[in-house]
C-alpha cells in the first residue's frame, strides 16, 4: 500500500494511492497514518479494503508528511561508502547517530526555507524507515519485522551551522522545513529488497546525486539492531539512513550550495518523488 496524508498543515487526513495513482480517502477506516495506526493488524485491515469503494479525493490537495505525530526522528550519518569517500571521512565503526528536530518536518512538496544568514544549505536524498511496532534489543535477523514501511526524506542540512557553530550536527539539521518526508509511506510488502533501491536528486533539473541503497555501510536491519540496543523504538519513529554521493559540500573544486529560487527533485525507486522550491526566512 501507498499511504498518504493530505490537507492543510495540522489538518491532514489519511489516504491511500490506488493502482492508477488516484488519491482515495481513508477517513472512515483510520484516524491518521501515525504510530497508533501502523501495527500489523491495522495495516492488514487496510490492505483488505476494496479500494474501488473508497471515496476519491477531488481537486489537488496539499500532500503532508506521510507519517503524523512522528515520535523520534533519528538520523544516521556517513552511511554510504561512496559518500564517505567524497567527504574524505573514515568509514565509521558503528552507525553515526544524530537527531533532527520534529519541527523540521514538512510535506514532500512544501517549500524549504533557508534560515537567516544561511550560505551553506545543502541537499541529501535519503531512505526513511518507519517503525511499526515497539522494539528493543532486536536482532538483525528479526529487525525488518518491526518496520511498517519506507519513504523518501530530504535531510536538508546547513553545513556552516552543522560544523562551525560548536556542538553536534543537530544544529545544522533541525532548521524549520529541513525534513521533507513522503510523499507516501510504502508498506514493506511492496518494497521488495530495501537494500537495492535506486535513488537520485536533481537541483534545477541537473542531476546531483545518483546512488543505490546497496552501498550502505550499515543496512536497515543492522541500524535497527544497533538503535534498539540503545533505546526503545516506538511505532511512528522515523529513521533516515544516510545519503549517497553528490551533496553540495562534496563538489570539487568548490562546493555548491542552495540559493533562493532553486528547485530540488528527489526520487527513490518505488517510493515516489519529492519536489521543493527554496526560499529564505524573512
Amino acid at each position: 500500500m501507498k499511504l498518504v496524508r493530505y490537507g492543510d498543515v495540522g489538518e491532514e487526513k489519511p489516504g491511500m494511492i490506488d493502482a492508477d495513482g488516484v488519491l482515495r480517502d481513508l477517513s472512515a477506516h483510520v484516524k491518521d497514518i501515525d504510530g497508533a495506526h501502523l501495527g500489523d493488524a491495522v495495516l492488514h485491515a487496510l490492505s483488505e479494503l476494496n479500494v474501488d469503494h473508497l471515496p476519491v479525493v477531488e481537486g489537488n490537495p496539499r500532500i503532508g508528511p506521510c507519517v503524523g505525530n512522528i515520535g523520534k526522528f533519528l538520523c544516521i550519518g556517513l552511511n554510504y561508502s561512496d559518500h564517505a569517500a567524497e567527504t574524505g571521512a573514515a568509514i565509521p565503526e558503528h552507525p553515526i547517530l544524530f537527531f533532527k528536530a520534529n519541527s523540521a518536518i514538512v510535506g514532500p512538496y512544501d517549500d524549504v526555507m533557508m534560515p537567516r544568514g544561511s550560505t551553506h544549505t545543502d541537499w541529501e536524498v535519503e531512505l526513511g524507515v518507519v517503525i511499526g511496532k515497539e522494539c528493543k534489543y532486536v536482532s538483525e535477523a528479526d529487525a525488518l519485522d518491526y518496520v511498517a514501511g519506507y519513504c523518501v526524506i530530504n535531510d536538508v542540512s546547513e553545513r556552516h551551522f552543522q560544523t562551525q557553530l560548536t556542538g553536534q550536527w543537530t544544529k545544522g539539521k533541525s532548521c524549520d522545513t529541513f525534513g521533507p518526508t513522503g510523499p507516501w509511506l510504502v508498506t514493506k510488502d511492496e518494497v521488495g529488497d530495501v537494500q537495492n533501491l535506486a535513488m537520485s536528486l536533481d537541483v534545477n533539473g541537473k542531476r546531483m546525486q545518483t546512488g543505490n541503497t546497496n552501498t550502505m555501510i550499515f543496512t536497515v536491519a543492522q541500524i535497527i539492531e544497533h538503535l534498539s540496543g540503545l533505546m526503545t523504538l516506538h511505532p511512528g519513529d522515523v529513521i533516515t539512513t544516510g545519503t549517497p554521493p553528490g551533496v553540495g559540500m562534496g563538489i570539487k573544486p568548490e562546493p555548491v550550495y542552495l540559493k533562493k529560487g532553486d528547485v530540488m527533485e528527489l526520487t527513490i525507486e518505488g517510493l515516489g518523488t519529492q519536489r521543493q522550491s527554496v526560499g529564505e526566512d524573512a
Side-chain angles (χ1 to χ4, degrees):
M1 293 180 292
K2 294 181 174 69
L3 302 176
V4 67
R5 300 171 70 250
Y6 67 95
D8 294 339
V9 176
E11 299 179 0
E12 292 91 349
K13 297 179 180 180
M16 178 188 295
I17 305 296
D18 70 18
D20 296 318
V22 175
L23 175 58
R24 304 273 184 162
D25 180 54
L26 283 176
S27 298
H29 302 278
V30 67
K31 183 177 180 181
D32 199 356
I33 308 300
D34 61 6
H37 302 93
L38 291 176
D40 292 341
V42 173
L43 294 182
H44 176 73
L46 293 179
S47 73
E48 293 291 302
L49 295 174
N50 187 328
V51 178
D52 293 336
H53 292 171
L54 297 173
V56 172
V57 178
E58 303 294 343
N60 187 30
R62 168 185 173 269
I63 301 299
C66 60
V67 182
N69 300 312
I70 290 174
K72 297 186 285 295
F73 200 151
L74 303 118
C75 308
I76 306 299
L78 289 176
N79 193 37
Y80 282 70
S81 55
D82 36 10
H83 173 55
E86 78 170 340
T87 64
I91 299 296
E93 183 179 355
H94 307 286
I96 294 173
L97 173 65
F98 61 93
F99 285 79
K100 205 173 185 82
N102 287 26
S103 54
I105 299 167
V106 291
Y109 312 120
D110 293 340
D111 291 345
V112 165
M113 304 300 290
M114 296 189 300
R116 290 182 183 179
S118 170
T119 56
H120 294 73
T121 296
D122 204 348
W123 55 83
E124 293 189 14
V125 58
E126 304 205 3
L127 171 71
V129 180
V130 182
I131 298 298
K133 55 186 176 182
E134 184 174 305
C135 60
K136 186 174 184 179
Y137 301 132
V138 302
S139 68
E140 178 182 348
D142 295 333
L144 298 187
D145 293 341
Y146 294 83
V147 173
Y150 302 94
C151 63
V152 183
I153 292 176
N154 190 353
D155 178 20
V156 185
S157 308
E158 214 299 341
R159 303 300 188 186
H160 180 79
F161 294 4
Q162 178 184 351
T163 63
Q164 302 300 316
L165 292 190
T166 310
Q168 299 180 344
W169 290 1
T170 297
K171 290 184 178 181
K173 299 286 190 171
S174 292
C175 304
D176 294 348
T177 74
F178 273 24
T181 301
W184 316 307
L185 187 164
V186 183
T187 51
K188 60 187 176 186
D189 57 296
E190 289 199 9
V191 173
D193 183 2
V194 72
Q195 298 304 154
N196 189 26
L197 301 177
M199 52 205 310
S200 64
L201 184 146
D202 297 349
V203 178
N204 301 328
K206 180 180 179 181
R207 181 60 45 88
M208 307 303 289
Q209 288 188 274
T210 301
N212 191 293
T213 57
N214 62 20
T215 68
M216 280 186 180
I217 297 167
F218 303 102
T219 67
V220 171
Q222 290 168 338
I223 289 168
I224 292 172
E225 178 185 53
H226 181 74
L227 295 181
S228 72
L230 304 172
M231 68 193 80
T232 302
L233 302 179
H234 294 98
D237 286 352
V238 172
I239 305 166
T240 187
T241 55
T243 198
V247 298
M249 69 179 293
I251 294 175
K252 303 293 191 296
E254 293 291 333
V256 175
Y257 295 110
L258 293 167
K259 60 185 184 301
K260 184 178 180 180
D262 284 347
V263 175
M264 294 177 283
E265 189 166 290
L266 47 155
T267 299
I268 298 180
E269 180 181 356
L271 302 184
T273 296
Q274 296 187 357
R275 188 178 188 275
Q276 298 106 28
S277 296
V278 178
E280 295 177 328
D281 279 346

